[in-house]
Amino acid sequence: MNIEVITKEDLQILRRELLEDLKQLLAGSKQEPKKWLRSADVRKMLNISAGTLQNLRANGQLRPSKIGGSYFYAFQDIQSLMQADTKRAR
């Protein structure tokens, strides 16, 4: 039976390697937001119903692109809408 001794230096090296691996994982997980969102994503993001989203389209507050039978909304438009709503609430 072989006995191996682990020193404090070995543990420090392991710690540094683990921290470096975690940093790489966290850096890789930062995704840019999607440029285009589907209706369901917008409803979830704004916490609104399908009817409210339809009203936003009808009022011209949101201008989606329609491809086939699906609406796609620019992420930038959603952010602008949220900022305008925040300014109105003040």
Side-chain angles (χ1 to χ4, degrees):
M1 175 163 45
N2 291 336
I3 298 176
E4 293 187 32
V5 178
I6 299 174
T7 64
K8 283 186 178 181
E9 185 179 332
D10 293 334
L11 291 173
Q12 288 294 336
I13 292 170
L14 177 64
R15 180 179 156 270
R16 277 185 246 132
E17 289 175 356
L18 284 173
L19 285 173
E20 198 58 40
D21 289 345
L22 285 172
K23 285 180 186 177
Q24 288 177 359
L25 284 172
L26 291 174
S29 68
K30 293 180 182 175
Q31 297 178 17
E32 290 185 30
K34 295 178 183 178
K35 289 185 179 183
W36 293 95
L37 302 169
R38 291 179 172 268
S39 295
D41 297 328
V42 174
R43 289 195 322 263
K44 193 180 297 184
M45 185 179 196
L46 299 177
N47 194 26
I48 59 175
S49 68
T52 302
L53 184 57
Q54 182 178 359
N55 286 336
L56 291 173
R57 280 195 313 265
N59 295 338
Q61 291 176 297
L62 282 178
R63 295 192 178 119
S65 294
K66 188 171 182 180
I67 300 174
S70 299
Y71 288 102
F72 291 90
Y73 301 84
F75 182 76
Q76 187 64 35
D77 291 347
I78 304 300
Q79 282 185 319
S80 298
L81 179 69
M82 290 177 15
Q83 288 174 352
D85 190 50
T86 302
K87 288 179 184 176
R88 259 188 293 156
R90 290 182 184 175

